[in-house]
Amino acid sequence: MLQGLSTTATHLGLLFGAMAIGASWVAAIASPNCSFDKLDGSRADRHVRELLLQTSTPIAGMMLASGAFYLLATSWAAASTALLAAFGFFSNRWMLAPGKKAKGVRTSRKDQRAVSVSFSLMFALVAIVSAVLGMVRI
């Protein structure tokens, strides 16, 4: 019975990880390409920043669920990399969160977008590693 629970937890971890990888690919690659094709530069930049801000929490939640299922399946390496990816996706929320700036401080929104897209792609690779480790049950 416990072996069946472990197998089910592994499959659910893979499912949530695959959903997070797909969502991060859409948010970081597919949608920005469409935005910059159809909109002018400033609107496309604002759209991509808002998209990354709104999708970071659900993607982090999917990776958190994936890590929890890997913990149930006792795939420790897969769980730790999934939880690392969850933290990485959630860090986009902090990067893009609108807030009060200190007086005289300038922030570049383009740089924020570039770093957030880079974080999304980098942690998508971490999520892929987590899925591979989950498949081999490490």
Side-chain angles (χ1 to χ4, degrees):
M1 169 138 168
L2 289 178
Q3 184 63 28
L5 178 66
S6 175
T7 303
T8 303
T10 299
H11 291 163
L12 287 172
L14 286 170
L15 177 70
F16 277 98
M19 287 190 313
I21 292 166
S24 67
W25 183 83
V26 169
I29 295 177
S31 183
N33 285 339
C34 293
S35 295
F36 280 100
D37 282 347
K38 303 294 182 192
L39 300 172
D40 63 297
S42 65
R43 286 188 178 131
D45 184 55
R46 187 170 51 245
H47 175 259
V48 171
R49 279 187 284 112
E50 185 65 26
L51 178 71
L52 288 169
L53 179 66
Q54 294 301 320
T55 59
S56 64
T57 303
I59 293 172
M62 286 184 254
M63 286 309 298
L64 190 63
S66 178
F69 283 121
Y70 286 142
L71 283 174
L72 283 175
T74 64
S75 297
W76 306 115
S80 63
T81 54
L83 295 175
L84 175 68
F87 175 75
F89 284 121
F90 194 74
S91 67
N92 274 344
R93 187 111 185 123
W94 295 325
M95 172 71 65
L96 294 169
K100 279 200 122 170
K101 297 184 293 187
K103 189 170 179 118
V105 175
R106 293 184 53 147
T107 58
S108 173
R109 298 289 187 190
K110 282 185 177 183
D111 291 342
Q112 283 182 338
R113 177 186 47 87
V115 169
S116 292
V117 168
S118 300
F119 274 1
S120 293
L121 294 175
M122 181 174 60
F123 286 108
L125 289 176
V126 174
I128 290 170
V129 169
S130 172
V132 170
L133 289 172
M135 279 192 286
V136 295
R137 294 185 181 177
I138 294 176

